Amino acid sequence: MRVLVVGAGIIGAALADRLTRPASGAPARVTVVEAEAPGAGTSGTSYAWINANDPADPAYHRFRTAAMSAWRDLAAGFGDPAWYRPSGSITWAADDGAKERLADRVARLSGLGYAADLVTSDRFRRLEPHAAAPPDALIAHYPGEAHLHGGPAARALALRARDSGADLVTGRRAVRLNTGGDRVTGVRLDDGRDLDADLTVCAAGRHSPALLATAGVGLPLVDPSEPGSAAPCLVATTSPARGVLNGLVHAPGLSARPAENGGLVLEADDLDAGIDESASPALIQAAGGELLARARALVPALTAEVAEVRRCVRPLPVDGYPLIGFQRPGLYTAATHSGITLAPHLAALIAQEIAGSPSPALALYRPDRADPAL
């Protein structure tokens, strides 16, 4: 079977890698098309927190915990790579309402068998000696969580797939799906070439709706160009500041973790308002300055500066859940907000479906669930 994977973000790269593994169960000739370089888009920009920290939907929580386990197995196969960091995460609450909600979350996660504990301030200082939390804060620790350096991870997966026989086409964008009758037969590239395939997998992230529309196929993703859209966010990276944080820290008003360059990756939900496609460079830089100010409050000894502020556009399904499955003969789509967490688990399940065995685990996440006309 000729399988064409459009997109070498973390999902496309993980799938290509899985399909070229001897035990994939899906014998295939794999070609990957990537408009830039593997991991150069959203996967290399995002905060990249690997977790199943929301207990609200037990079925989706289990799906995400299975993905966390898949990451541990995948990383072991690479020999403890620097791009996968099983560092654990910490969060805290300072006011009474937030404390009550955090205590409830920890209790519910623990009841689901997830590693979640309330810790003392002494334990917090041992875990993160350079971070400052209010003395009366309620502090939670999630030791099983991890973070990913998404760009290097996607590159490693794509290159291993290439070394195992996949064709890797970079610097070329798929501009349309080619069809024969109702069947998708491959893609047209921006240089005019046609690539034929028995199965085309759209793993193009935020660009998926535009590509699918060329064959009259819809996908319910939040439009990032709409004013106030929730799809875009800002992520800042500081200059090197080695050792200031050991793992992920989610303080009120700031999320921070170690960056690939030895600095910090910073994000804050409340600063994402107005960061749509019309956001000015001045607005983005001002938000970066505010992220740095909050980081210095979190880590009083921090002397780093902002090295880069990037606008990350997330492929955000309208209902928040993954969109995974066949949409037309010869066409399979994989789009999700949680690509960093889910990638290796999705890759295994999609490979199973490509091999001809529908996955019960994906039954809840089909692309047509939101609109039968899609």
Side-chain angles (χ1 to χ4, degrees), residues 59-292:
Y60 191 44
H61 171 81
R62 289 191 296 272
F63 194 76
R64 291 174 67 99
T65 56
M68 293 170 67
S69 178
W71 267 120
R72 289 189 287 270
D73 293 342
L74 179 66
F78 276 91
D80 187 28
W83 39 259
Y84 172 74
R85 297 290 83 197
S87 57
S89 75
I90 292 175
T91 190
W92 67 79
D95 64 68
D96 290 343
K99 287 179 180 180
E100 183 177 345
R101 290 189 295 272
L102 180 57
D104 177 68
R105 175 178 291 246
V106 168
R108 293 174 66 189
L109 286 169
S110 296
L112 292 169
Y114 194 72
D117 300 291
L118 296 175
V119 299
T120 65
S121 56
D122 286 344
R123 173 65 174 153
F124 166 70
R125 283 190 290 271
R126 289 195 295 272
L127 290 166
E128 293 291 354
H130 301 291
D136 60 344
L138 185 72
I139 304 169
H141 181 218
Y142 306 103
E145 295 179 356
H147 65 272
L148 194 74
H149 300 316
R155 288 193 294 273
L157 289 163
L159 292 176
R160 188 167 76 168
R162 185 196 64 185
D163 291 345
S164 298
D167 291 326
L168 184 58
V169 180
T170 59
R172 298 265 68 97
R173 183 179 298 278
V175 295
R176 81 173 191 204
L177 295 174
N178 293 334
T179 59
D182 190 46
R183 186 174 191 85
V184 172
T185 59
V187 301
R188 169 73 56 85
L189 300 183
D190 57 3
D191 62 1
R193 283 183 293 162
D194 289 325
L195 296 181
D196 296 330
D198 300 304
L199 179 67
T200 299
V201 180
C202 180
R206 61 165 296 199
H207 302 291
S208 295
L211 179 62
L212 294 171
T214 64
V217 178
L219 193 69
L221 290 185
V222 172
D223 185 350
S225 67
E226 289 290 331
S229 172
C233 67
L234 283 184
V235 179
T237 304
T238 75
S239 57
R242 296 191 182 278
V244 293
L245 289 181
N246 294 322
L248 300 115
V249 175
H250 301 103
L254 183 71
S255 294
R257 66 161 176 86
E260 181 189 1
N261 71 346
L264 296 177
V265 176
L266 310 173
E267 184 181 26
D269 291 344
D270 67 300
L271 297 181
D272 293 335
I275 305 299
D276 54 33
E277 292 183 345
S278 66
S280 68
L283 177 61
I284 291 174
Q285 291 306 313
E290 176 60 22
L291 284 168
L292 182 62

Side-chain angles (χ1 to χ4, degrees), residues 2-31:
R2 297 168 301 168
V3 178
L4 174 62
V5 180
V6 180
I10 197 64
I11 292 178
L15 177 59
D17 176 67
R18 181 75 184 198
L19 289 172
T20 55
R21 297 288 91 205
S24 73
R29 291 170 49 197
V30 179
T31 300

